[in-house]
Amino acid sequence: MDALILAAGQGSRLDVGVPKCLVQVGGRSLLDHQLDAIERVGADRVTVVVGYEHEQVEDAAKGRAQVVLNERYAETNSLYSFWLARNAVEGDLLVLNSDVLFAPELLSDLVAVTGSALAFDSSSGDEDEHMKVRTRRGRLMRLSKELPALYSHGESLGVVHLSRLAARAAFSAAGSFVGRGREDHWAAAAFNEVARGHWVSCVDVAGQPWVEIDFPEDLDRARNHTWPAIAALRRERSSADDLWSTSMEPDEMEEVGT
């Protein structure tokens, strides 16, 4: 399994003076948080598509990921960044927008689903800025910011797991859009094409801590609410693991270790 982080954008609406993926939350950058989660699920290789202030992102990713440069980041969108990585990845593919903070377990749940899967939150998706999701019997039908609220079942997190065949179909669809001069489209346009011929499961993560960081208020929420919630979950799970291990007999511990 490969992983692809789309991190070429400037994040001008955030106005922080650094690439959005390098914004600090909980003492670490968003990029570090995502790389940690990706390593936890066992991806064999990570690729980061960089653009704005790419040298800073390349330094931050050094030793943990390879990079692909989108020199046209200022005039293109995530679809083009996705397409540029077509020759750098292979096999099953995780695709992440770099501006999302989430609990690592969310990614584990997503890759545990057989086949392709997309994370969405059924408790969100009522704002113009949201990438809305339409589902049917748990299957992705459409992704669009313009999707009417009547037909929306939630908000996409920008975290997708594609099977090998679905990933190649997504790159092919992206190439078709690029060939028609549609470099300004979101990567969601390619995923919509994939969903026509491949089952993409929609995994509802409502109630789990996550946030997409586009505006200063999103960053405040990430630092003051989302990250503390993630840290609390981590402490709870660590305590539960300690309790479980101390309740076992030595021979049971040895068996689990093997």
Side-chain angles (χ1 to χ4, degrees), residues 115-157:
S116 301
L118 171 146
F120 82 108
D121 188 336
S122 62
S123 68
S124 185
D126 54 358
E127 297 182 13
D128 292 342
E129 183 65 24
H130 293 165
M131 181 62 71
K132 301 168 190 65
V133 179
R134 178 168 175 77
T135 71
R136 181 180 296 164
R137 301 190 189 92
R139 178 180 182 176
L140 175 64
M141 301 304 296
R142 184 161 181 79
L143 286 169
S144 176
K145 290 191 175 185
E146 288 73 41
L147 192 67
L150 179 64
Y151 299 104
S152 172
H153 295 108
E155 179 187 4
S156 169
L157 274 65

Side-chain angles (χ1 to χ4, degrees), residues 15 21 23 25 44-45 53 58 72 83 116 121 135 141 201 216 236 249 253:
D15 192 26
C21 67
V23 167
V25 176
D44 298 297
R45 178 173 52 182
E53 296 291 346
E58 289 170 9
R72 299 176 58 202
W83 178 73
S116 301
D121 188 336
T135 71
M141 301 304 296
S201 298
E236 290 175 7
E249 297 295 330
M253 290 289 289

